[in-house]
Amino acid sequence: MIRLDNVSKFYYRKGMITSGISKVSLSLDIGEFVVITGESGSGKSTLINVISGVDSYEEGEMYVDGQETSHFSSEEFEDYRRRCIANIFQEFNLVSSYTVRQNVELILQVNGCSREEIDSRVPDIIERVGLAEYSSTRVSKLSGGQQQRVAIARALAKDTSIITADEPTGNLDSVSAAGIVALLHEIAKDKLVIVVTHNEEQFKEYATRIIKMSDGHVAEDLLLQTPEAEDRIHERDYGRIRPAVKLRIGVRNAFNIVPKFVLLLIVFLFIVFSVSSIYANLKTNSQARQAQGYNQYFTNYKDTRIVARNRDKSPLTRADYSRIKAVDGVKDLEKDDVLLDEMYYIENDSISVYGYPCSLSSLHGRLDIGTRPSDDSGVVLACAKSDLGENPESILGKTYTLQSDADTGAEEPMKVKIAGVRYTKSEAEAEGESDARIYLQEKQLASMRHAAYLRVSTVTTRAGTQSYRYTSAENMYPVVASSRVAAGGAMVPEELNGGYADGRARGKKLSIHVENMYFKKTCTLKAAGVYTGRSYKKLTGGQSMEESTSEIFINEKDYDKLFPHGNYQCSVYAADVHQVDRINRVLQKEGFKTLALKNALQGDQFGGVIDIIQVPLAILLLVAVFFISYFVIRLILRSRTSYFGILQMLGMARKDTRHLLEIELMTVAGIAGAVFLVLVHLLDAGIVPGSYLQNLAGQLHLRDDLILLAMLAVIACLIAGRFSRALSRKSAMSNYREEA
Ligand code: ADP
Ligand code: MG
């Protein structure tokens, strides 16, 4: 049932070809106890390896039950070994870190046996080879004779028709050897047992046939007994290893050898640390780049600022403000959005401080110096102590000018007195973001708001057939409130006469239209008259008229219609830039129209170039990390080559050995990832100090953690894949030899 027809096997090594066996023809049957002898190097091992499908052959043909095997794929050879062959090796080929029982179980697990079958067969077999009391002893603690018994037990457990043994007594003393020979004889019934030995005396008593090898040829073939012929191989219907068993063994392997586990853990910590650094670095850079952008409509583009307004453009109400404030993560609400995009200076000869104006009603708590103001012109300053010079107290009660850098100087700057000060962080402490504020009475604030609205508005006055346009850049035809003009009327400059057919504006209709990013308003009035030098003085309360004078004076009530009180837009500051996107979404869901400043910035022109350099650089680094890790892991796993060689010889498919390795590496990688993330987030929470990792932690959120773990798993898989490809390029035998 096994027939060799002129079979030759060559070894190629360093350009040299040696022949293991040449032109061997043989026929072997079930029931035979074949002993192969011969000098060292005569080809005994080669012959037995070819017969058991562990090694390939180059010439001739081997038939198994009449079937040609020369065209077998490696999978078909795996299948043949799994169903028909059990090997016993001279070097035992046991997993020395496993117990006796685990070693015997392994062969059944690898071949897909069920738990029940394993439990029912294994103890009997261990008993049969006389090792019952060593069942849970590690193989590395056993003597040579005992280890050979384990190897035999393993072959017995597999219970195939063909058992091969390469010098099974070679490493044993004569007493142990005699026991092994008897054991082999005992199991030989109904099987084909092929034993290689250079001591044929030991087997004389039991052998049915002795084949003498010499120089790769069969020199002598001596039949001692005719076997009770049974000419077909009884094939076992073994399958592949079960997934649950694979998982269990893979995880067990991760911890089996402690030094190996520790080394792998260190490598994976290195990987997770590098990968997360590269990742966080990339993220930091892209955030920094976003923050470096600009926006033409805003000068205050703090990355935590979100601008919100009602969808229907109606003014914001108290209820709106409380809905906004209720959103989780909102730190500050700035009602006077219009005042946020200009710089306001409060200055005199000795100091100059800038800040954002806001209402005294939003100032709570203690002041550091001075008191809250009692009169209209009093203000409270919130700024860094260092901005106020040597003697901060000296500024209290003095008069300062308060004006915007957007102010064209057409109007008199506002005069204020500093009544009190609260100290804030300096710009350096606040990382360049000034939190300086100027707290004013509502009346003052309203006039600043009006002035600010006017600065961002286009005012079109239509008088007869002509239009006169005001913008802050041109500063012609501004609209000014005056109590000296009756409601519904307007005092206009002389130019406006030109719009009417009769050249007289007085008593005619004119309309004023105000438009800005917040609102559009129109008001229709009647020209009460054209002012002259004298009436101009009255209207302005003392100013003299100049050549360029072009104001249009209207009643305060009409002015309020054009520039209404109340706010159409407000600004929200998030406590943390990471929360901006979420807050933005919540506000939109609440019905507000919003704009997060950090998303509204145009990147600087180098942004794209930096991306082009940085992303491939990160990929390059990742590849470098991968290869460094791969080579280190390969070194660590070198000692595992023989383990995987054993598994392959026990009949495990290549794919399954790869899975085992993947599971092993992923287990360690998972532990490394978990250790790293726990550490980093403890740092983040401030429980353990450490600034570099803290910065890293600031960049890693749940989604990033998951991405990181996934990347780690992919790297573990890639390494396992590469390593097992390297394994499978060689035959099972040469993997085993590499270690031997
Ligand atoms: P034996 O088992 O009888 O000692 P082998 O089958 O191991 O003999 O070796 C037969 C011949 O093949 C020898 O000449 C040996 O040098 C050669 N040989 C065996 N294994 C290899 C190998 N892995 N690479 C190269 N030559 C080998
Ligand atoms: Mg040999």
Side-chain angles (χ1 to χ4, degrees):
M1 39 148 250
I2 297 268
R3 191 156 68 79
L4 276 68
D5 189 7
N6 283 317
V7 170
S8 301
K9 158 86 193 165
F10 305 107
Y11 291 105
Y12 303 89
R13 185 176 275 178
K14 289 179 189 150
M16 291 242 303
I17 300 176
T18 45
S19 87
I21 52 174
S22 62
K23 299 208 181 300
V24 170
S25 297
L26 267 181
S27 190
L28 304 168
D29 286 311
I30 297 284
E32 287 188 299
F33 191 121
V34 182
V35 172
I36 300 174
T37 65
E39 315 224 305
S40 179
S42 57
K44 307 184 293 294
S45 298
T46 307
L47 178 60
I48 209 172
N49 289 339
V50 166
I51 289 172
S52 52
V54 174
D55 257 349
S56 54
Y57 59 92
E58 279 79 35
E59 268 180 22
E61 186 64 74
M62 176 168 83
Y63 300 89
V64 175
D65 274 347
Q67 200 185 356
E68 295 179 357
T69 60
S70 57
H71 51 75
F72 266 20
S73 65
S74 60
E75 282 78 25
E76 283 170 309
F77 267 119
E78 268 168 16
D79 205 49
Y80 162 63
R81 284 214 307 277
R82 185 181 306 130
R83 289 164 185 273
C84 306
I85 306 285
N87 303 99
I88 301 165
F89 299 94
Q90 180 174 8
E91 291 86 1
F92 319 134
N93 235 347
L94 301 170
V95 183
S96 55
S97 60
Y98 281 17
T99 64
V100 170
R101 185 177 171 135
Q102 282 171 345
N103 266 285
V104 180
E105 280 179 351
L106 186 62
I107 196 166
L108 295 179
Q109 288 168 333
V110 158
N111 291 294
C113 288
S114 68
R115 186 78 248 166
E116 299 79 57
E117 194 180 347
I118 293 172
D119 283 344
S120 73
R121 271 161 66 183
V122 170
D124 287 348
I125 290 163
I126 294 174
E127 172 101 57
R128 206 169 145 198
V129 298
L131 288 176
E133 58 185 302
Y134 297 102
S135 184
S136 37
T137 308
R138 278 196 182 212
V139 158
S140 54
K141 299 221 169 75
L142 299 180
S143 73
Q146 287 167 329
Q147 291 193 15
Q148 190 59 284
R149 282 168 188 274
V150 180
I152 292 172
R154 195 174 57 185
L156 266 179
K158 204 178 172 194
D159 197 25
T160 48
S161 294
I162 303 170
I163 293 179
T164 71
D166 193 348
E167 312 225 18
T169 58
N171 292 331
L172 305 181
D173 59 86
S174 55
V175 181
S176 310
I180 295 296
V181 171
L183 190 58
L184 281 172
H185 168 69
E186 201 187 315
I187 64 172
K189 298 189 182 78
D190 310 325
K191 291 186 195 303
L192 166 60
V193 175
I194 310 168
V195 180
V196 164
T197 183
H198 52 246
N199 188 350
E200 81 179 88
E201 284 304 311
Q202 283 178 341
F203 291 90
K204 260 232 161 94
E205 196 182 331
Y206 305 115
T208 64
R209 182 172 173 185
I210 295 179
I211 295 172
K212 194 166 245 160
M213 295 293 291
S214 168
D215 207 10
H217 297 280
V218 177
E220 210 182 300
D221 189 349
L222 196 65
L223 198 63
L224 305 176
Q225 290 171 36
T226 318
E228 293 152 35
E230 183 184 333
D231 57 353
R232 283 199 73 80
I233 297 176
H234 171 64
E235 286 192 19
R236 303 280 314 187
D237 59 344
Y238 284 132
R240 298 253 305 265
I241 184 168
R242 293 165 186 231
V245 177
K246 195 153 68 179
L247 188 66
R248 199 150 40 88
I249 294 180
V251 172
R252 191 173 69 190
N253 285 347
F255 305 105
N256 214 10
I257 302 165
V258 176
K260 182 206 63 176
F261 169 73
V262 172
L263 285 174
L264 282 179
L265 190 67
I266 291 170
V267 175
F268 276 108
L269 280 172
F270 161 75
I271 295 176
V272 73
F273 192 80
S274 325
V275 170
S276 63
S277 294
I278 293 168
Y279 181 79
N281 205 21
L282 213 58
K283 227 177 123 178
T284 312
N285 285 341
S286 88
Q287 276 169 1
R289 209 156 50 244
Q290 265 181 19
Q292 274 160 14
Y294 64 94
N295 184 294
Q296 65 188 108
Y297 300 107
F298 300 93
T299 51
N300 169 6
Y301 37 77
K302 229 172 154 173
D303 55 7
T304 52
R305 181 179 170 193
I306 302 169
V307 175
R309 60 156 64 157
N310 278 321
R311 276 234 171 84
D312 59 5
K313 297 195 171 182
S314 63
L316 292 159
T317 62
R318 219 180 261 258
D320 292 330
Y321 291 137
S322 33
R323 264 160 63 223
I324 293 170
K325 273 189 193 153
V327 176
D328 185 34
V330 168
K331 194 181 89 183
D332 276 317
L333 172 67
E334 215 62 75
K335 293 177 188 168
D336 283 309
D337 179 80
V338 67
L339 298 178
L340 289 179
D341 288 294
E342 293 178 12
M343 298 266 214
Y344 288 85
Y345 289 90
I346 186 162
E347 60 190 349
N348 68 3
D349 298 338
S350 55
I351 66 151
S352 171
V353 179
Y354 79 89
Y356 296 112
C358 45
S359 168
L360 267 167
S361 64
S362 67
L363 176 70
H364 305 288
R366 224 175 48 81
L367 300 181
D368 289 293
I369 53 174
T371 54
R372 297 177 76 97
S374 46
D375 60 339
D376 276 354
S377 66
V379 301
V380 169
L381 204 56
C383 66
K385 193 174 180 183
S386 55
D387 291 344
L388 301 178
E390 303 270 284
N391 187 3
E393 268 88 0
S394 69
I395 67 165
L396 296 177
K398 299 220 173 92
T399 302
Y400 293 81
T401 60
L402 171 58
Q403 77 189 110
S404 158
D405 65 346
D407 209 323
T408 52
E411 282 174 76
E412 276 290 293
M414 187 183 282
K415 297 265 192 292
V416 296
K417 280 201 192 97
I418 298 177
V421 178
R422 166 187 286 170
Y423 298 136
T424 61
K425 282 183 184 170
S426 72
E427 272 193 45
E429 287 163 334
E431 287 167 1
E433 291 180 349
S434 171
D435 277 327
R437 280 164 203 281
I438 303 155
Y439 292 94
L440 300 115
Q441 303 283 19
E442 188 50 43
K443 194 176 163 201
Q444 242 89 356
L445 201 60
S447 88
M448 292 182 75
R449 203 182 287 139
H450 263 148
Y453 275 136
L454 187 59
R455 276 194 290 275
V456 297
S457 299
T458 301
V459 182
T460 313
T461 303
R462 220 158 265 152
T465 55
Q466 294 284 353
S467 295
Y468 303 86
R469 204 168 65 109
Y470 165 90
T471 65
S472 70
E474 290 158 40
N475 202 29
M476 289 292 286
Y477 313 107
V479 186
V480 178
S482 169
S483 53
R484 305 223 165 214
V485 182
M491 287 299 284
V492 301
E494 213 187 323
E495 282 101 316
L496 264 63
N497 283 331
Y500 300 94
D502 59 356
R504 290 166 71 118
R506 187 193 175 99
K508 307 268 169 50
K509 274 206 318 195
L510 69 135
S511 74
I512 302 177
H513 179 72
V514 173
E515 188 167 347
N516 56 41
M517 61 180 138
Y518 305 103
F519 54 78
K520 283 182 201 165
K521 298 281 172 192
T522 305
C523 191
T524 304
L525 303 164
K526 198 180 204 177
V530 175
Y531 55 75
T532 60
R534 243 182 50 218
S535 48
Y536 182 79
K537 233 175 195 161
K538 268 190 202 161
L539 286 165
T540 58
Q543 273 181 344
S544 52
M545 195 166 109
E546 285 165 30
E547 186 98 20
S548 62
T549 296
S550 61
E551 286 106 318
I552 296 163
F553 294 92
I554 64 173
N555 182 270
E556 282 156 330
K557 279 198 187 113
D558 296 322
Y559 193 92
D560 285 348
K561 276 183 211 155
L562 286 173
F563 294 100
H565 289 285
N567 285 306
Y568 290 77
Q569 186 164 294
C570 67
S571 277
V572 171
Y573 288 106
D576 184 319
V577 66
H578 301 307
Q579 305 190 353
V580 168
D581 290 329
R582 183 185 49 77
I583 295 173
N584 196 20
R585 280 196 299 276
V586 175
L587 289 175
Q588 283 172 0
K589 232 181 257 161
E590 287 278 334
F592 297 102
K593 192 163 189 273
T594 65
L595 177 73
L597 271 274
K598 82 174 177 68
N599 300 335
L601 299 175
Q602 282 106 9
D604 67 88
Q605 54 189 339
F606 298 112
V609 180
I610 291 170
D611 271 338
I612 288 171
I613 299 168
Q614 242 164 17
V615 170
L617 202 69
I619 292 172
L620 212 70
L621 276 173
L622 278 180
V623 171
V625 167
F626 172 79
F627 277 101
I628 292 169
S629 320
Y630 172 68
F631 284 112
V632 177
I633 287 178
R634 214 170 115 146
L635 281 180
I636 297 170
L637 290 184
R638 181 151 274 172
S639 60
R640 307 285 286 154
T641 312
S642 70
Y643 172 76
F644 290 108
I646 291 170
L647 290 178
Q648 282 175 15
M649 276 186 279
L650 295 185
M652 186 179 276
R654 298 252 152 93
K655 219 172 167 179
D656 291 322
T657 55
R658 195 187 76 218
H659 290 163
L660 269 189
L661 192 59
E662 276 170 8
I663 294 166
E664 178 175 345
L665 291 186
M666 277 210 269
T667 305
V668 184
I671 292 172
V675 166
F676 176 80
L677 289 179
V678 166
L679 186 75
V680 152
H681 289 286
L682 283 182
L683 283 167
D684 197 24
I687 296 170
V688 189
S691 67
Y692 179 75
L693 282 175
Q694 232 156 31
N695 178 39
L696 203 66
Q699 295 288 357
L700 296 176
H701 300 276
L702 181 64
R703 207 184 54 182
D704 304 314
D705 288 354
L706 294 178
I707 292 175
L708 201 64
L709 287 180
M711 282 176 88
L712 210 56
V714 168
I715 288 179
C717 267
L718 285 175
I719 290 176
R722 267 191 83 92
F723 188 74
S724 69
R725 259 202 310 285
L727 276 180
S728 62
R729 248 182 267 124
K730 307 172 201 155
S731 67
M733 197 58 209
S734 50
N735 283 327
Y736 166 65
R737 275 196 205 104
E738 192 158 292
E739 198 248 359

